[in-house]
Amino acid sequence: MNADCVIIQGSNMAEAHPVGFQWVVEAKTRGARVIHIDPRFTRTSAIADTYVPMRAGGDVAFLGGVVNYILSNEKDFREYVLAYTNAATIVTDGFRDTEDLDGLFSGYDNETRIYDPTSWQYAGQEPEGDRQDQEMQRATASPQQHQSHGPGVPGATQRDETLQHPNCVFQILKRHFSRYTPEMVEQSTGVSREQFLDVCRAWTDNSGRERTTALVYSVGWTQHTVGVQYIRTGAIIQLLLGNMGRPGGGILALRGHASIQGSTDVPTLFNLLPGYLPMPHHEQHETLRDWIDAFRHPGQKGFWGNAEAYAVSLLKAYWGENATAENDYGYAYLPRLTGDHGTYQQVFNMIDGKVKGYFLLGQNPAVGSAHGKAQRLGMANLDWLVVRDLYMIESATFWKDGPEVETGEIVPERCRTEVFFMPAASHVEKEGTFTQTQRLLQWREKALDPPGECRSDLWFFYHLGLRIKQRLADSTLARDRAVQDLAWDYPTHGETVEPSAEAVLREINGYDVATGRPLSGFAELKADGSTACGCWIYSGVFADGVNQANRRTPGREQSWVAPEWGWAWPLNRRILYNRASADPQGRPWSERKAYVWWDPDKGEHGEWTGYDVPDFEKTKDPAYRPEPGTSGPAGLAGDDAFIMQGDGKGWLYVPSGLIDGPLPTHYEPAESVIRNPFYGQQDNPTRMVYDRPDNPMNPSPPDANSAVFPFVFTTSRLTEHHTAGGMSRTLAYLSELQPAMFIEVSPELAAERGLTHLGWAHVVTSRAVVEGQILVTDRLRPLRIEGRPVHQVWLPYHWGGNGLVTGDSTNDLFGVTLDPNVLIQESKVGTCDVRAGRRPVGPASLAYVADYRRRAGLAVGEGSES
Amino acid sequence: MTTVSRRGGDRVMVPEAEFRSYYGRPIVREPTWKHDIPAYLFTGGLAAGSALLAVGGDATGRPALRRAGRLAAVGALGASAYFLVNDLGRPQRFHHMLRVAKPTSPMSMGTWILTGFGTAAGVAAAGELAGYLPRRGVLGVASRVLPPAGRLGGIAAAGLAPALATYTAVLLADTALPSWHEAYPQLPFVFAGSALASGAGIGLIAAPTAQAGPARRMAMAGALLELAGAHRVETRLGLLSEPYRTGRAGRLLRTGRALTAAGVAGALLGRRSRVLSALSGAALLAASVATRFGIFAAGVASARDPKYTVVPQRARRDGATAPPLQPCADM
Amino acid sequence: MSGNSLYGPLDPAPDAGYVDAPARMGFFTDTSICIGCKACEVACKEWNGIPDDGFNLLGMSYDNTGSLNANTWRHVAFIEQPVPEKTDIRWLMSSDVCKHCTHAACLDVCPTGALFRTEFGTVVVQEDVCNGCGYCIPACPYGVIDQRKDDGRAWKCTMCYDRIGSGLMPACATACPTQSIQYGPLDELRERAEHRVDALHATGVSEARLYGNDPNDGVGGDGAFFLLLDEPEVYGLPPDPVVTTRDLPKMWRKAGLAALAMGAAVVAAFVGGTR
């Protein structure tokens, strides 16, 4: 709302976050310029001042061009960059950039397809781990574990404040992005030079002391094999322009579901524990000490220095009085990673018969995950499947009426999976918190009882836990101790014996074990077992015994930051790294953009104060400089604004922690219609690949067979529907707003393939064929890439076979290839063919797809990678 | 997908009009009335014309006209009541029409006109029963009371008849349907003429040629009124005349015109032939049916195509700078 | 045309007989900030318990509702337009609603008194009185009110009469995330709208204009008016709506003349001429 310019890319914010989008509208009404960059003109573009049509998959090329523009024209906010980023830090001599290696960085191994990051480190640092370690990191999405705290970087670094040293980050950045010229941007993304430069000017003109630009992205960026690097490029720009930590600036990451932020904070992810503590690995973290040191990084500065307290308190929350110093607080009970346990690996394991049972909670992978056929065939090969949902979703009925029944691949009478459907309570039928996309926790009261046998997830798991504990009560096996010793004594209420969500929130907040007193923040956590805390970043949500997440002070009764509405983690800070909103001396960069500042007259010796909770130690003087070698929080200087990073600086260059490189590089998507115009390396060399017969990839150039799938396709959402449709295609009022699966094409593509408006057509990839009715629209247009027109096709992904309105599932078209850092699928771009008419039905559709595979040079059962 | 831009005017005299619309969808809404309403337009007009015929016959000693007129009036009125109630969305609530008497609502006014007319026509028709009743007893009393009552009823009905015949024109015109509204100066005359002709038709069918003279003259007058009005409607409304001349409405109206002409011709030429007179009467009745359905269809057509709403309104908005919509030749 | 109770500027509630009526309430729909989310359509249906309208892919951009009718009292229109000079394309979105006209033709022609003027100046159908005569339907210059099949009665937006009397806003205004739909006293809304149009013109959006705000227009001004970014007919709205009742006095006069002519003709037919 305070932005002078809002850049929305990889996002259809108005479509998917309509309520949040009102603040963009508000900003626009106050005079902000809104720019939307997208392959397709959407409802967001309709409000934007400027719409920039761009090829799906071209974001690093585009943003890299912006970085190049900033550096070539000296538009960076120099004081900010010097003080708050690692621009001046010098990188080790052995580092080789993509400029030197035609698209690769130094340390690449062709066989394992992974990097040894030793040569990426800062000069004078100890290397972190080796190549084998990196493989494990990719398999377990280790970089995701680092996300809120930065990986290990020992404290002292070498810097050149003049930014002239050839190996300082600033110069490396310049060299790396020098080829991302406006001409290259035009050629590779289809964005005209004029429009590109217009965006650059808008972005840079609206940054600096007096003005800030906000960058918004959503899953249009994340769901790529280079998704993390997309975001990294945005971060580089926002750091160079001094927008991070400032009001109306920053990067707004819009999540894809209600409360999915909560699902990563208190995670439902295989590789994370609450508060982004990593799940231990069976080899790397044999002891408690090994594990804690892996993320505490002894010797480095910053708040992860206290991580032992966070970890031990978590273990105390899990095992209560059975977690003592003698048994390492129950560390032996924690599950261990052995490799890739990601959801897609699980699916393939299911197909291979390695998984017996599956709990499916509020998720519909038969429609909502990539490679629908694999999802369904996987679920058809289980012993048992428990589905908890509000409606009979496709993932519960795939065995009797899914697409594979139509083709004969699943025969209902012979499908071995026993499916249990447990009806769930909706969000108005239970109380608890939602954590929204700005880390804000909001408590919701229960409005009415769930009908019949519907129950909340909390009820289900609590009672399931009780029953399992009962079953194992008399066991003498060592492995069952973990369950036997679980602290599982939540108070319950009501006829249905519902566990108290408030009690759970109190435990998440943390309490003093002896007295039960709720803690007021993670600073009170101890490593000696005297505190318990379910999620250290949430500590403070129940400070003073008050449910802070339930506060609803109206906006007009408080400041514009509105800190008394709900509670944000950590410690109710609304903008992270807001130290950067003040200069190194602690004064706001400008009155107009004042946010937090140092008041030397406040408190005893001065305090940080302002509109928000300062994201900094309250009494730390800006002039403070630590003794060399100091670690932990005391190691942070008074101008180390990025307090969670090992060196306290924002990272333009990432020396460790990412699998695919310290700098973003333009790679083509795994399936593309053109050769990479920038480098010889076609696509992300380290991306996760599942090379199996049932997971073929469409061929990309230079393979001539790539012409079999000549069009680019992308998918996203409609406002009227919700993800896989379980909560929207089952309701008449929503179903009538978008009643049928459709496919958007440009008039040019329609002419080329003989497609008519509202006529039927089908889209084919090497995995599947799906059909829909055509909508011919000018909102899609062919782009000129590398001198020739490239057509893009768009499909919504909401449809499946169940509900009031049904249709084919778009996600069946995708195969599985993942970003190596976080293991997210590339489901925003692929290649395809489009043909008029309905698709074949039953076994004929298998034959149809098989024929495409043959023509694409993929024998039935062949994967392909460049 | 661009905004639909349509060109107005198929084979019409007005200049082609460019206009824009929302995917070619109608702006005003055509009525949900079924065939009942145009049928009622006919039966209502018939009732009115018949009542006038009856009172004239009563006053000038032409009992055949009197009787035929009175019976036709009450019969047509009964049919009218049936059509109107049948067309309601909630027929069982028809009496809600009597909750108000609203001058701004032609339908409300019509309800009361119908009620009054129906009562009067009923009494008038009852007067005809007198001849079948015994002379003695209660019914004997009735047989003496009914004729004068019937005369009074007949006069009352005739007094209301012109209102009955013309209020329906106001009903149609008092809508947003462009071709109906724009025709408000002419429609009452068309309906009046059509009612006269229908009444005349009853006379031609039912009365011996000796008594049918007034019926013949009524037919001529009615035809004149109707054709003059219709001509103006079809030529003086600019673009909005088009729905009266084209499509189903055009066909119906032309049929009606032809039948009217045939009926009048037949009535005049066949003044000595009972058969020819009856056929002429039938032709006039059929003409009235066709005309009413034609007018109805024209209004509906003017609602369906948005150009009839947009083009004249835009011309009005844009003021004197737009060329006036005129027919290209004098007619 | 001089103003009278049937035409011209008017405060409708006092004119309808209310003593000490509250301020006239209305809608200002600013389509320049509509994001086409259709929350208004859903909220309206949920509050009023309106049946769904059928599942039909209409292919009219993202409009699968089609138009206002008996089962849709808020309808979001979508228009995709090529705009050569600027960003090459423009997507207009607008939430349409009953205009609650100052001079409401539907109300004027209703023969049962089912349609009435509320103390807030709005127009509401009493569903227990309406007998489905259908006259209001062709009378509305905007084509809003409609008859519900299987039910027989006429239905339209009530401006949530059952909410505004309790200090709540209508459901659509409450649900609209960007405040494209604004509810409040009509005077205030009109003033706000003027400022908004001026602000848009100042930023170069010259095609912004108000529709239905002028008490001197053909319906006496709408209780629900709009800020549009193109001509009304592009959105399916009439360019110059006039309440049909304006001409009613003249219509009755013409009918009277015709009636007289009819009477005279009959007299002449019986008196004049030979046998």
Side-chain angles (χ1 to χ4, degrees):
Chain A
M1 190 167 77
N2 301 293
D4 300 295
C5 179
V6 180
I7 312 254
I8 303 172
Q9 189 172 348
S11 170
N12 191 354
M13 189 178 182
E15 191 97 34
H17 294 80
V19 179
F21 192 74
Q22 69 180 294
W23 304 117
V24 177
V25 172
E26 175 77 22
K28 190 177 168 194
T29 312
R30 295 180 181 198
R33 178 154 172 207
V34 178
I35 298 175
H36 186 226
I37 302 159
D38 201 282
R40 180 177 152 256
F41 189 101
T42 67
R43 283 184 259 212
T44 303
S45 328
I47 298 284
D49 297 294
T50 307
Y51 164 66
V52 180
M54 190 194 70
R55 170 172 72 104
D59 300 71
V60 173
F62 185 91
L63 295 169
V66 178
V67 174
N68 190 26
Y69 175 90
I70 294 170
L71 296 174
S72 312
N73 295 294
E74 301 201 337
K75 295 282 189 179
D76 59 287
F77 186 174
R78 188 53 59 91
E79 297 158 72
Y80 182 107
V81 168
L82 268 175
Y84 297 144
T85 75
N86 66 352
T89 311
I90 297 172
V91 173
T92 188
D93 261 344
F95 171 69
R96 291 292 172 270
D97 182 67
T98 53
E99 287 298 294
D100 310 309
L101 299 175
D102 200 17
L104 293 171
F105 293 98
S106 44
Y108 184 68
D109 178 87
N110 233 321
E111 266 193 44
T112 57
R113 297 175 51 254
I114 203 133
Y115 284 104
D116 175 353
T118 310
S119 61
W120 303 349
Q121 304 301 312
Y122 288 158
Q125 308 276 295
E126 290 300 311
E128 271 262 323
D130 56 16
R131 195 171 302 126
Q132 194 184 36
D133 183 54
Q134 286 298 99
E135 278 196 75
M136 186 278 289
Q137 300 243 346
R138 174 171 62 191
T140 61
S142 258
Q144 186 177 43
Q145 302 164 352
H146 299 313
Q147 60 181 290
S148 76
H149 57 83
V153 175
T157 58
Q158 299 173 18
R159 290 168 62 89
D160 171 21
E161 305 291 337
T162 67
L163 301 181
Q164 295 305 313
H165 189 291
N167 255 22
C168 76
V169 164
F170 194 79
Q171 293 299 330
I172 290 176
L173 214 59
K174 273 186 108 159
R175 254 200 326 275
H176 178 86
F177 286 107
S178 57
R179 64 175 56 209
Y180 292 74
T181 61
E183 290 71 35
M184 280 302 288
V185 170
E186 185 175 277
Q187 261 191 56
S188 61
T189 67
V191 178
S192 73
R193 240 164 297 184
E194 294 73 35
Q195 213 176 21
F196 166 72
L197 289 170
D198 180 41
V199 174
C200 291
R201 278 189 295 267
W203 205 331
T204 54
D205 287 349
N206 284 301
S207 305
R209 279 181 178 262
E210 296 285 340
R211 304 179 79 81
T212 53
T213 297
L215 177 61
V216 178
Y217 78 88
S218 332
V219 294
W221 267 8
T222 62
Q223 292 178 0
H224 287 268
T225 49
V226 284
V228 170
Q229 297 295 352
Y230 280 13
I231 301 162
R232 277 274 308 128
T233 331
I236 289 173
I237 295 171
Q238 292 293 72
L239 282 171
L240 285 176
L241 296 178
N243 281 318
M244 297 305 296
R246 304 190 56 207
I251 297 181
L252 181 55
L254 299 176
R255 306 295 308 252
H257 296 264
S259 206
I260 198 173
Q261 180 64 40
S263 288
T264 43
D265 298 336
V266 184
T268 53
L269 299 171
F270 76 93
N271 58 349
L272 287 180
L273 291 167
Y276 301 97
L277 301 175
M279 193 76 78
H281 185 270
H282 76 109
E283 266 177 359
Q284 313 245 327
H285 311 122
E286 278 195 45
T287 70
L288 178 66
R289 179 57 39 202
D290 291 337
W291 179 54
I292 290 181
D293 282 351
F295 51 88
R296 188 169 74 90
H297 300 299
Q300 86 169 3
K301 16 188 215 178
F303 277 85
W304 279 93
N306 294 335
E308 184 164 357
Y310 315 149
V312 170
S313 298
L314 176 66
L315 295 175
K316 280 299 284 185
Y318 282 162
W319 284 286
E321 56 196 26
N322 292 321
T324 63
E326 285 72 41
N327 68 356
D328 273 346
Y329 301 103
Y331 176 70
Y333 298 155
L334 277 179
R336 300 290 196 267
L337 298 176
T338 58
D340 177 4
H341 305 278
T343 180
Y344 288 102
Q345 181 61 57
Q346 297 290 10
V347 169
F348 293 124
N349 288 346
M350 287 182 207
I351 292 177
D352 296 341
K354 298 183 194 166
V355 180
K356 304 298 175 203
Y358 194 13
F359 284 96
L360 199 55
L361 317 152
Q363 184 151 341
N364 194 1
V367 173
S369 295
H371 206 336
K373 181 180 292 293
Q375 304 285 339
R376 296 183 292 266
L377 289 177
M379 289 192 289
N381 202 27
L382 298 165
D383 286 357
W384 53 267
L385 168 66
V386 175
V387 178
R388 275 186 44 86
D389 211 295
L390 306 178
Y391 289 100
M392 273 295 176
I393 55 174
E394 288 80 358
S395 299
T397 65
F398 67 92
W399 58 273
K400 59 176 180 143
D401 58 21
E404 285 67 36
V405 175
E406 186 191 287
T407 60
E409 291 165 284
I410 295 178
V411 179
E413 295 77 20
R414 294 208 292 271
C415 176
R416 50 184 289 245
T417 308
E418 189 171 359
V419 180
F420 300 84
F421 186 85
M422 317 284 295
S426 82
H427 68 276
V428 298
E429 296 162 352
K430 55 191 180 184
E431 69 274 10
T433 57
F434 273 64
T435 306
Q436 53 83 280
T437 204
Q438 290 175 298
R439 297 167 284 105
L440 186 69
L441 279 76
Q442 296 175 94
W443 177 269
R444 308 261 191 106
E445 298 292 358
K446 176 168 131 171
L448 69 163
D449 287 324
E453 308 220 312
C454 297
R455 296 287 182 270
S456 67
D457 290 313
L458 183 57
W459 181 96
F460 180 80
F461 278 105
Y462 174 70
H463 288 281
L464 182 66
L466 280 182
R467 292 178 195 216
I468 294 178
K469 271 167 95 62
Q470 271 164 26
R471 288 256 181 146
L472 298 178
D474 299 324
S475 164
T476 51
L477 295 175
R479 69 160 189 244
D480 293 333
R481 290 292 306 280
V483 173
Q484 291 166 335
D485 283 355
L486 265 181
W488 208 245
D489 52 352
Y490 299 97
T492 59
H493 57 268
E495 276 182 33
T496 57
V497 195
E498 178 83 15
S500 161
E502 192 182 276
V504 175
L505 189 62
R506 279 173 179 271
E507 182 181 63
I508 287 174
N509 174 77
Y511 56 92
D512 178 86
V513 172
T515 63
R517 176 185 67 86
L519 304 175
S520 37
F522 57 79
E524 292 185 36
L525 292 175
K526 302 278 187 291
D528 60 3
S530 62
T531 59
C533 175
C535 181
W536 69 276
I537 54 177
Y538 279 22
S539 185
V541 70
F542 229 105
D544 305 320
V546 172
N547 187 341
Q548 308 286 338
N550 202 11
R551 297 180 304 164
R552 292 288 187 279
T553 307
R556 58 183 174 275
E557 293 175 24
Q558 53 178 324
S559 78
W560 59 270
V561 170
E564 290 177 42
W565 181 286
W567 185 88
W569 69 263
L571 300 175
N572 207 22
R573 290 167 184 154
R574 299 303 170 110
I575 292 185
L576 287 181
Y577 301 130
N578 57 31
R579 166 69 181 87
S581 67
D583 65 18
Q585 288 75 39
R587 298 171 308 233
W589 290 109
S590 66
E591 269 316 299
R592 187 167 180 267
K593 296 288 175 178
Y595 196 67
V596 304
W597 55 86
W598 172 255
D599 185 350
D601 301 320
K602 236 181 149 188
E604 286 188 20
H605 304 288
E607 272 182 15
W608 284 95
T609 182
Y611 299 115
D612 193 1
V613 175
D615 195 12
F616 208 61
E617 288 167 276
K618 198 166 188 180
T619 53
K620 179 164 278 184
D621 194 306
Y624 170 79
R625 297 290 177 271
E627 291 298 314
T630 319
S631 65
L636 289 171
D639 63 351
D640 279 339
F642 289 83
I643 59 172
M644 299 309 286
Q645 299 299 100
D647 55 359
K649 301 296 178 203
W651 282 7
L652 296 166
Y653 169 99
V654 176
S656 72
L658 291 179
I659 304 290
D660 50 3
L663 289 171
T665 307
H666 175 76
Y667 295 120
E668 288 293 313
E671 296 183 352
S672 174
V673 294
I674 64 161
R675 295 218 58 175
N676 189 339
F678 288 85
Y679 314 99
Q681 178 60 34
Q682 170 75 4
D683 51 24
N684 187 342
T686 60
R687 76 183 190 286
M688 199 63 167
V689 162
Y690 296 92
D691 191 1
R692 305 163 48 103
D694 53 11
N695 190 32
M697 285 285 138
N698 295 355
S700 296
D703 188 335
N705 290 325
S706 62
V708 172
F709 300 108
F711 310 122
V712 173
F713 81 100
T714 183
T715 85
S716 59
R717 307 176 189 216
L718 296 165
T719 309
E720 296 88 340
H721 280 296
H722 183 259
T723 59
M727 285 173 68
S728 62
R729 285 184 297 104
T730 45
L731 301 175
Y733 290 159
L734 293 176
S735 296
E736 64 171 327
L737 298 177
Q738 291 285 12
M741 170 65 183
F742 60 94
I743 301 165
E744 289 189 352
V745 298
S746 66
E748 292 84 352
L749 179 54
E752 198 176 302
R753 277 289 194 258
L755 311 169
T756 55
H757 189 66
L758 288 183
W760 283 92
H762 54 275
V763 178
V764 202
T765 64
S766 57
R767 273 80 50 181
V769 54
V770 305
E771 64 179 11
Q773 287 172 272
I774 288 282
L775 243 54
V776 180
T777 170
D778 284 317
R779 291 180 290 103
L780 272 175
R781 60 194 65 187
L783 299 170
R784 283 207 84 75
I785 311 289
E786 294 269 282
R788 62 181 180 89
V790 167
H791 290 294
Q792 302 190 100
V793 179
W794 179 83
L795 302 87
Y797 73 89
H798 303 293
W799 270 270
N802 300 359
L804 294 173
V805 294
T806 60
D808 282 351
S809 302
T810 298
N811 281 320
D812 285 10
L813 295 172
F814 289 105
V816 179
T817 181
L818 316 177
D819 176 296
N821 296 298
V822 294
L823 299 184
I824 196 168
Q825 76 280 354
E826 181 155 78
S827 51
K828 285 297 173 183
V829 61
T831 56
C832 70
D833 191 14
V834 184
R835 295 278 165 183
R838 304 197 69 151
R839 64 165 170 83
V841 175
S845 75
L846 291 179
Y848 190 74
V849 174
D851 181 61
Y852 266 88
R853 282 212 282 268
R854 241 187 316 275
R855 289 193 289 118
L858 307 163
V860 176
E862 191 177 273
S864 133
E865 47 176 299
S866 47
Chain B
M1 179 95 185
T2 58
T3 310
V4 174
S5 181
R6 301 253 312 271
R7 302 183 76 79
D10 294 335
R11 36 187 184 88
V12 294
M13 300 298 193
V14 298
E16 290 206 340
E18 285 275 343
F19 73 102
R20 298 156 83 195
S21 70
Y22 186 69
Y23 303 100
R25 292 183 75 105
I27 291 179
V28 295
R29 196 172 274 283
E30 67 186 71
T32 52
W33 297 326
K34 303 177 284 295
H35 65 273
D36 298 276
I37 297 304
Y40 160 67
L41 295 178
F42 164 67
T43 59
L46 175 61
S50 304
L52 287 167
L53 185 81
V55 82
D58 193 26
T60 60
R62 291 176 169 87
L65 291 182
R66 185 202 74 226
R67 165 161 305 158
R70 284 183 179 180
L71 293 177
V74 76
L77 182 76
S80 299
Y82 164 75
F83 284 131
L84 288 177
V85 172
N86 189 48
D87 194 74
L88 290 176
R90 289 279 171 113
Q92 64 273 33
R93 290 186 182 180
F94 71 90
H95 58 281
H96 285 193
M97 298 294 204
L98 301 169
R99 291 174 84 248
V100 299
K102 235 163 107 169
T104 61
S105 171
M107 193 180 279
S108 176
M109 295 288 94
T111 301
W112 292 105
I113 292 170
L114 269 167
T115 307
F117 180 93
T119 314
V123 171
E128 297 298 315
L129 289 177
Y132 301 99
L133 293 175
R135 296 255 136 213
R136 267 197 265 271
V138 178
L139 292 175
V141 174
S143 73
R144 280 189 292 282
V145 168
L146 283 178
R151 166 160 292 168
L152 284 173
I155 293 169
L160 285 170
L164 176 63
T166 55
Y167 96 88
T168 46
V170 178
L171 190 146
L172 292 190
D174 194 23
T175 62
L177 302 199
S179 290
W180 282 352
H181 186 95
E182 198 68 14
Y184 81 77
Q186 292 88 16
L187 281 178
F189 294 94
V190 175
F191 281 24
S194 191
L196 281 174
S198 326
I202 289 294
L204 287 168
I205 290 171
T209 52
Q211 292 187 44
R216 283 193 287 274
R217 288 187 285 276
M218 254 178 83
M220 267 173 17
L224 215 69
L225 266 180
E226 186 187 329
L227 292 174
H231 174 74
R232 290 173 108 97
V233 166
E234 290 180 21
T235 57
R236 294 288 187 90
L237 305 182
L239 178 66
L240 297 177
S241 286
E242 188 181 284
Y244 292 102
R245 293 200 310 268
T246 56
R248 185 163 163 269
R251 286 193 294 275
L252 282 166
L253 286 172
R254 283 191 290 278
T255 307
R257 206 165 22 247
L259 283 169
T260 303
V264 169
L268 292 176
L269 295 172
R271 68 180 83 118
R272 294 189 208 292
S273 160
R274 186 64 200 276
V275 172
L276 204 48
S277 293
L279 283 174
S280 307
L284 288 173
L285 288 174
S288 189
V289 173
T291 302
R292 307 306 190 134
F293 275 81
I295 302 263
F296 190 83
V300 171
S302 76
R304 283 194 184 151
D305 191 328
K307 79 178 177 195
Y308 297 115
T309 306
V310 177
V311 173
Q313 286 190 16
R314 181 127 296 281
R316 195 165 61 217
R317 260 269 295 246
D318 295 344
T321 53
L325 298 166
Q326 290 292 344
C328 67
D330 285 295
M331 286 185 61
Chain C
M1 169 64 53
S2 64
N4 54 36
S5 205
L6 299 179
Y7 182 70
L10 185 76
D11 193 358
D15 183 71
Y18 289 98
V19 177
D20 291 328
R24 183 174 179 191
M25 304 303 280
F27 282 132
F28 165 43
T29 304
D30 180 354
T31 70
S32 71
I33 51 176
C34 174
I35 56 174
C37 72
K38 306 178 191 172
C40 51
E41 292 197 34
V42 176
C44 171
K45 291 215 178 191
E46 293 230 322
W47 177 259
N48 292 296
I50 302 172
D52 70 74
D53 225 350
F55 306 135
N56 309 298
L57 188 69
L58 298 180
M60 290 162 34
S61 187
Y62 279 6
D63 179 4
N64 293 305
T65 305
S67 68
L68 290 172
N69 56 43
N71 292 340
T72 295
W73 302 353
R74 268 278 177 191
H75 159 242
V76 182
F78 291 82
I79 304 115
E80 300 177 29
Q81 295 178 332
V83 178
E85 315 89 46
K86 288 192 170 179
T87 54
D88 289 355
I89 192 165
R90 192 163 78 138
W91 203 358
L92 302 176
M93 301 172 197
S94 166
S95 177
D96 195 12
V97 72
C98 168
K99 315 302 178 290
H100 294 273
C101 312
T102 301
H103 296 289
C106 62
L107 194 164
D108 287 339
V109 303
C110 174
T112 61
L115 277 153
F116 75 104
R117 178 80 58 181
T118 72
E119 64 270 34
F120 299 104
T122 58
V123 179
V124 171
V125 187
Q126 297 171 83
E127 60 216 44
D128 51 344
V129 175
C130 175
N131 64 6
C133 80
Y135 196 16
C136 51
I137 291 156
C140 173
Y142 301 96
V144 171
I145 193 167
D146 188 26
Q147 186 181 37
R148 187 176 288 171
K149 300 185 191 15
D150 309 331
D151 177 276
R153 294 171 287 183
W155 296 87
K156 74 169 187 70
C157 161
T158 65
M159 208 182 280
C160 282
Y161 191 33
D162 49 353
R163 286 174 69 97
I164 62 180
S166 301
L168 297 173
M169 290 204 299
C172 55
T174 310
C176 178
T178 57
Q179 280 94 59
S180 171
I181 299 175
Q182 298 171 36
Y183 166 81
L186 193 59
D187 292 336
E188 279 180 34
L189 292 176
R190 283 180 178 165
E191 214 182 289
R192 201 188 299 167
E194 293 288 346
H195 289 315
R196 174 70 178 151
V197 171
D198 290 340
L200 282 173
H201 287 168
T203 61
V205 186
S206 54
E207 57 277 19
R209 87 283 304 274
L210 295 178
Y211 176 80
N213 62 313
D214 184 2
N216 292 307
D217 72 17
V219 297
D222 290 326
F225 68 100
F226 299 80
L227 188 154
L228 302 177
L229 296 176
D230 204 335
E231 300 293 349
E233 56 265 35
V234 170
Y235 295 86
L237 296 166
D240 186 24
V242 176
V243 63
T244 182
T245 326
R246 176 193 71 172
D247 301 319
L248 188 60
K250 285 191 286 193
M251 292 184 204
W252 283 127
R253 275 199 287 278
K254 292 287 182 186
L257 275 175
L260 284 175
M262 198 176 172
V266 171
V267 169
F270 277 89
V271 167
T274 58
R275 308 223 8 108

